[in-house]
Every structure is written in C-alpha cells, then in structure tokens.
Amino acid sequence: MNKMPFDKYRAFTPISLPDRQWPNRAVTTAPIWCSVDLRDGNQALIEPMSPDAKRRMFELLLEMGFKEIEVGFPAASQTDFDFLRLLIDEKLIPDDVTIQVLTQSREHLIRRTFEAIKGARKAIVHLYNSTSELQRRVVFGADREAVTGIAVTGTKLIRDLADQMTGTEVVFQYSPESFTGTELDYAVEITEAVMAAWGPTPEKRMIVNLPATVEMATPNIYADQIEWFCRHIKDRRNIIVSIHPHNDRGTGVAAAELALMAGGERIEGTLFGNGERTGNVDVVTMAMNLMTQGVDPELRLSDINRIIEVSQECTQIPVHPRHPYAGSLVFTAFSGSHQDAIKKGLSALRQSGANFWEVPYLPVDPADLGRSYEAVIRINSQSGKGGIAYLLEQEFGLILPRALQVEFAQVVQRRADASGKELSAAEIWKHFEEEFLKADHPVSLISHKFEHHGENEDGVMTATVENGVSRHTVKGRGNGPIDAFIDGLKAIGIKVQLVDYHEHAVGRGANAKAVAYVEITGRDGTLSGVGMDEDIVAASLKAVISAINRRERR
C-alpha cells in the first residue's frame, strides 16, 4: 500500500499561552447569533437562491428568532441590492432585527453599500480585507503597512458616510479575514488601527469578527488565538468579539464552542452548516448543544421539520439523515441493546415523573424538536426484543411479556435476515398476526362455556374444539377457565401445563378488545401464545390454542 503524502504538509505552530484560561470556563448563556445564510450560505450554492427563496429564508430566520441577519453583498450583486431594497421599502424588517451587509474596502463598493441600506432603521456594515501572511505574500504582494492602510481607509470612509446618514443607525464591523492564518500580533495591530479610525466606545461598541476563514488547526488552537487576541487588544470593552468558524477540518462546532469559552460573544453561522467547501459553523447544532446543557439557546427550534423543509427548498441541499439533531435517523435506534435501553428509559421517565430528561441513547427529547416517538425505534436484522416490543406497544397497544418478546424477536430477525431490509410497523404486525393470532390450525376453538358454582369449588369448562378434521366436546375442571380448559384437552391427547399468564385491554369503549398472553410447557419445551377477542375468557382460550398450534408447527 502506498503511503499518503503527509510530508508535504506542515503542522500549525501552537500558540504560546501557558496560562490560558478558557479550559476552565463554561458557556452559560447564548451568544449573539448572526445568520449568514443569505450571504455566505447563498454564495456557496450551485444555484444561488432566487428572490422568492431569499425572502422565504429571511422569513424563516425571523421565525426562529435571529436578531441579526446578513442579507448580502449589495455592492457586488444587483440581486442582493434589489433584495435589500425590497426588505427596506416594503418594511419587512422588524424593529428588533438588524440587517448586516458585507463590503470590501473599496470606495465605490462602500458608497454603493450605503445606497443599499438607506432607509433601514439599523444596519451593520461589515468591512473586511484579508490579512494572513499567505495572502499578503501570494495574492496581494503587499506588506503589513499596505494592508493596514486598506482597512483604515475603508473604515474612515464608512465613518464619514455613517455620519451623513439620517434615520439609519450604522453599526460598524471589521473582519481581518483569514484571521487563523494571520500573525496574532498583526491581527491586534490592524484591528487597533481600525478602532482608532472608527472610534468605538463602551456605549457604542464596534464588532470585531475573527473568522476561521479556513480551519487550519485543532479547535483548541483557535480558542488560544481568540483568548490571546482578547487579552492583548486595547480597549477590549469597546468591542464585541465575533466568531466566524468554517468547517474545513470538520471541527467547526467544537472550535466555535471553545472560542466562546475563550472570549467570543457572537457567532456568525448558517442553518445546518451550509457554506463554501465543507461549510460554515452549524448554528442549529450549536444552539441545540446549548439547550442540552440547560442553557436557553434563544432560538426557536421546536419545529425542526419545518426548518429542514424550508432550508432544503431554498438551498437545494438535503440535510443528511445523520445530521446532529435534525437528521431523519438521529433519534432512531436499530440496535437491539439500544432499543431495549430506550424502551426502559422512556418507561422509567413516565413512571418517575422526573423534571429532567434522562433516556439512554437519546441526548434530547425528540418532542422538543417537534418530532414524534414513532420513529425512535425501527426494526431490521440488528434489532432486538426491546425494540420490537416498544414498536408493538406504541403502534398497536400490545404489552408483550418478556418470554414472548424473546420468541417474537427471533421470528422478526429471521424475516429481516431473509429480506435484508428494514421492516415497517405494518410488516411487524403482519408477522405477529401470522405467528400468534392466526395460529388456529390444526386445533381451533368452536365454542366454550365455563361454570363456577362455589368459591371453594373448581369450575367446569365445556368446550368444543376441532383437531384436524375431527370435532370434539371436552370437559375439564380447574380453578379458572384456562386451568379447566387445559384439563379438558387431556381427553384428546393434548397435555400441556400453564407457566405464565398476562392480559390487558386494547383500545377503549365499544372497540375495546382483550388480549391474553400465555406461556405453556409440554413435551417439546415452553412456548408462548396470544389470543384476542371482545371476551376475556375467549381471548385466554385462544391464547392457549395459539401456543399449542405453534408447538405443532415445530
């Protein structure tokens, strides 16, 4: 086997921060959320969103509770410009929501940006220029001083234009783009130069956005970079530190969470992580991670299916079935041991009435996301008795005794192995009917009558049964209908003993039925049977017949 060409890559140099504080902190409040679905997310699509799709996405973000939404790059795109004007002119932006627009540090782009936001109650103007050593060297051919000059020039123009605006409050945001590849001392240097040009105060802070434009190292290094920056920047109280992670290494969420611990206050991300390359940080996952730690995420995610539907329609990108929290299979167990643990956990939770969610293998209650419990357990060849029993209880109201669970699980596994596919609830019920409820040959019950004359006397069961082609009337005595019936069957050569018995009602009112479960033993071992009827005695006798006929099938 050929080796991978690992020697053409270099490890990222760790940050010297021996007294780092972030590992001892915890995230106890939600960050300021800023959706960039309409910009970063949109520019990453094969087919960018139409105006109608943009509007629908914007409305969804409002419903979810986002208070800051980046709506586009209006100076670089006529579509973005027109969409922003639509939002402003038709007064579609709620008073408590701030739109954000992006611009490079070029005079004509900045002036066009201010034309786009005219009339908005409040807007964040997001200025960026790339600052990394690599881009300075190979893209721009510029030194630090030149790159700083670009940022400062753009900032001063934005300040002047903001001062001239009437009726629109302008919040300034600056991003040293490619922050993760920028020397930390220079990131601080250029940001301080921009701050000096803008003049933020504790009462009117500017946003400093520190993007992991490309993930270049492990999440702990990004956290170190954020903490180092926060500790070295002048007038820290005059700025809001914003985090904008990408997901190149697949650790965007982890990096964002650690960055919040390191001093970040704001997150820019997208629904389900849509974005260039491997995407932006996934806001849905981040928000749900907070919720599972008892922190109010300050976003509404209680109808996750609707959020998925709108997102997929607008972006034409499907949400993966195993996507955290949102995937169609994330609350589904196929494994037998997992199913059994979930079934027992849900039962224990119902019985205890506990205020806290504690169910094995389910880190969050599906109901909190608007999901039902119907798909929590699904059946294939890997499934076990617990999952099958759970499904029959949830879908059909049957509460199977343990011995019956074991027997039926073997039946289901044989059928699943044969098909190689998942079995639906309807298929499970069909196999249950065939195996137990329709096990009425060669022995079948025609009629029965039980008489019990005294409290201390055995009752008498008179029953007519068919055994093959012969019909027999049998009589037996016992302390109950089942004992008396089994006693009577001895006359036609059927000798079994009752080991266990359970019964319960299924349904309510006029449609209610009784279901009985028996476990019998005889010359061929122990087997279970099931009977269902409007009459409990008839259901019990049918259960005995079911077990006897299953024995005959062997």
Side-chain angles (χ1 to χ4, degrees):
M1 182 183 295
N2 294 328
K3 290 183 178 181
M4 294 292 290
F6 61 89
D7 53 355
K8 68 188 284 187
Y9 301 96
R10 291 178 292 183
F12 195 92
T13 303
I15 308 303
S16 178
L17 197 65
D19 60 340
R20 58 182 56 84
Q21 300 300 307
W22 64 261
N24 297 319
R25 298 174 185 152
V27 179
T28 57
T29 59
I32 302 167
W33 299 109
C34 178
S35 161
V36 294
D37 292 85
L38 293 169
R39 167 54 193 173
D40 266 31
N42 189 49
Q43 73 172 359
L45 301 178
I46 297 173
E47 296 182 7
M49 293 183 224
S50 67
D52 287 343
K54 280 192 166 190
R55 182 165 178 171
R56 193 171 180 205
M57 176 64 79
F58 182 75
E59 290 170 348
L60 173 67
L61 297 170
L62 295 180
E63 290 174 19
M64 293 176 65
F66 284 94
K67 300 303 180 186
E68 296 183 2
I69 301 173
E70 188 170 83
V71 293
F73 195 152
S77 164
Q78 187 63 44
T79 301
D80 282 7
F81 187 97
D82 292 343
F83 178 67
L84 178 53
R85 292 312 314 166
L86 172 75
L87 296 179
I88 296 171
D89 293 340
E90 296 195 11
K91 303 186 185 307
L92 300 176
I93 306 167
D95 288 343
D96 62 344
V97 172
T98 301
I99 55 167
Q100 178 170 301
V101 290
L102 192 69
T103 182
Q104 292 174 325
S105 187
R106 299 180 184 176
E107 181 176 353
H108 71 288
L109 296 179
I110 292 171
R111 292 188 181 278
R112 179 67 167 165
T113 299
F114 273 79
E115 291 177 26
I117 65 172
K118 185 177 181 180
R121 183 192 60 82
K122 187 176 182 180
I124 300 169
V125 176
H126 181 184
L127 177 75
Y128 75 95
N129 67 317
S130 194
T131 58
S132 72
E133 185 279 331
L134 178 62
Q135 293 221 31
R136 296 197 314 265
R137 175 165 44 87
V138 305
V139 178
F140 304 114
D143 59 13
R144 288 186 177 187
E145 183 179 358
V147 171
T148 300
I150 293 171
V152 170
T153 299
T155 301
K156 288 180 178 178
L157 178 58
I158 291 172
R159 183 196 61 193
D160 292 343
L161 294 175
D163 289 342
Q164 298 168 25
M165 290 282 283
T166 57
T168 300
E169 179 186 351
V170 174
V171 177
F172 179 57
Q173 174 171 322
Y174 174 67
S175 287
E177 194 208 359
S178 60
F179 166 76
T180 46
T182 301
E183 308 92 326
L184 284 174
D185 66 316
Y186 180 54
V188 168
E189 176 186 317
I190 191 171
T191 302
E192 288 180 346
V194 168
M195 291 170 65
W198 179 257
T201 66
E203 294 73 34
K204 193 172 182 180
R205 296 191 291 171
M206 67 174 267
I207 301 169
V208 175
N209 192 53
L210 303 176
T213 306
V214 176
E215 271 200 309
M216 304 178 72
T218 50
N220 61 297
I221 289 181
Y222 186 47
D224 281 348
Q225 290 174 315
I226 300 301
E227 182 171 333
W228 196 99
F229 182 93
C230 290
R231 288 166 61 171
H232 288 81
I233 193 79
K234 291 180 182 177
D235 299 322
R236 170 67 178 84
R237 63 180 184 155
N238 293 351
I239 63 173
I240 296 169
V241 173
S242 179
I243 307 302
H244 185 116
H246 282 247
N247 196 45
D248 299 271
R249 294 170 54 90
T251 59
V253 168
E257 291 179 330
L258 298 188
L260 290 179
M261 294 161 60
E265 303 158 86
R266 181 178 183 267
I267 293 287
E268 293 189 348
T270 61
L271 302 182
F272 311 115
N274 175 45
E276 291 182 297
R277 304 182 307 279
T278 60
N280 287 48
V281 70
D282 179 354
V283 169
V284 172
T285 298
M286 280 204 68
M288 285 305 303
N289 283 356
L290 287 175
M291 183 168 158
T292 62
Q293 300 303 303
V295 175
D296 182 358
E298 299 182 13
L299 290 177
R300 290 183 288 276
L301 302 164
S302 55
D303 190 355
I304 196 69
N305 290 338
R306 170 171 159 68
I307 296 170
I308 293 168
E309 177 188 357
V310 174
S311 176
Q312 289 183 155
E313 289 179 358
C314 292
T315 65
Q316 299 300 304
I317 294 178
V319 173
H320 194 279
R322 296 294 182 187
H323 194 104
Y325 302 108
S328 60
L329 295 177
V330 296
F331 299 123
T332 299
F334 291 102
S335 160
S337 61
H338 289 202
Q339 291 173 344
D340 188 57
I342 290 171
K343 175 178 179 292
K344 291 174 179 175
L346 290 171
S347 177
L349 197 65
R350 285 193 296 267
Q351 293 172 11
S352 69
N355 293 325
F356 294 101
W357 177 259
E358 286 185 318
V359 175
Y361 300 111
L362 292 180
V364 66
D365 185 349
D368 292 337
L369 291 167
R371 292 269 174 88
S372 71
Y373 293 101
E374 294 176 3
V376 168
I377 289 176
R378 288 163 59 175
I379 307 303
N380 62 16
S381 61
Q382 304 300 308
S383 304
K385 65 183 188 306
I388 296 165
Y390 174 88
L391 187 148
L392 286 174
E393 180 176 353
Q394 294 296 309
E395 297 286 330
F396 305 104
L398 299 185
I399 305 172
L400 305 191
R402 177 176 171 76
L404 181 56
Q405 292 180 28
V406 173
E407 289 185 46
F408 186 50
Q410 294 171 353
V411 173
V412 171
Q413 286 175 335
R414 286 197 299 270
R415 303 294 174 89
D417 280 332
S419 69
K421 298 179 180 179
E422 178 187 355
L423 299 180
S424 68
E427 290 171 317
I428 298 293
W429 176 250
K430 177 184 176 183
H431 295 322
F432 187 82
E433 279 190 311
E434 291 174 351
E435 184 67 25
F436 296 100
L437 299 179
K438 293 182 179 180
D440 53 3
H441 296 287
V443 181
S444 59
L445 178 68
I446 306 302
S447 64
H448 69 279
K449 181 180 180 181
F450 181 69
E451 297 176 296
H452 200 178
H453 299 295
E455 210 174 286
N456 298 319
E457 295 182 18
D458 287 343
V460 176
M461 172 64 73
T462 302
T464 300
V465 299
E466 280 187 356
N467 188 5
V469 295
S470 303
R471 181 170 290 195
H472 308 274
T473 298
V474 298
K475 281 190 176 183
R477 303 180 70 88
N479 60 11
I482 299 176
D483 285 338
F485 183 58
I486 288 175
D487 181 59
L489 291 176
K490 294 176 184 176
I492 57 173
I494 299 175
K495 297 180 180 181
V496 295
Q497 289 183 329
L498 181 68
V499 176
D500 198 12
Y501 171 80
H502 298 274
E503 55 89 8
H504 64 80
V506 176
R508 295 181 179 179
N511 295 322
K513 287 187 177 182
V515 60
Y517 312 97
V518 300
E519 188 179 354
I520 64 170
T521 186
R523 68 180 186 276
D524 297 322
T526 302
L527 273 180
S528 297
V530 183
M532 188 178 291
D533 198 278
E534 288 81 2
D535 175 63
I536 184 57
V537 173
S540 302
L541 302 189
K542 287 180 178 180
V544 173
I545 295 291
S546 168
I548 290 170
N549 287 328
R550 292 186 65 235
R551 184 183 67 170
E552 294 300 320
R553 291 177 183 174
R554 287 188 164 188

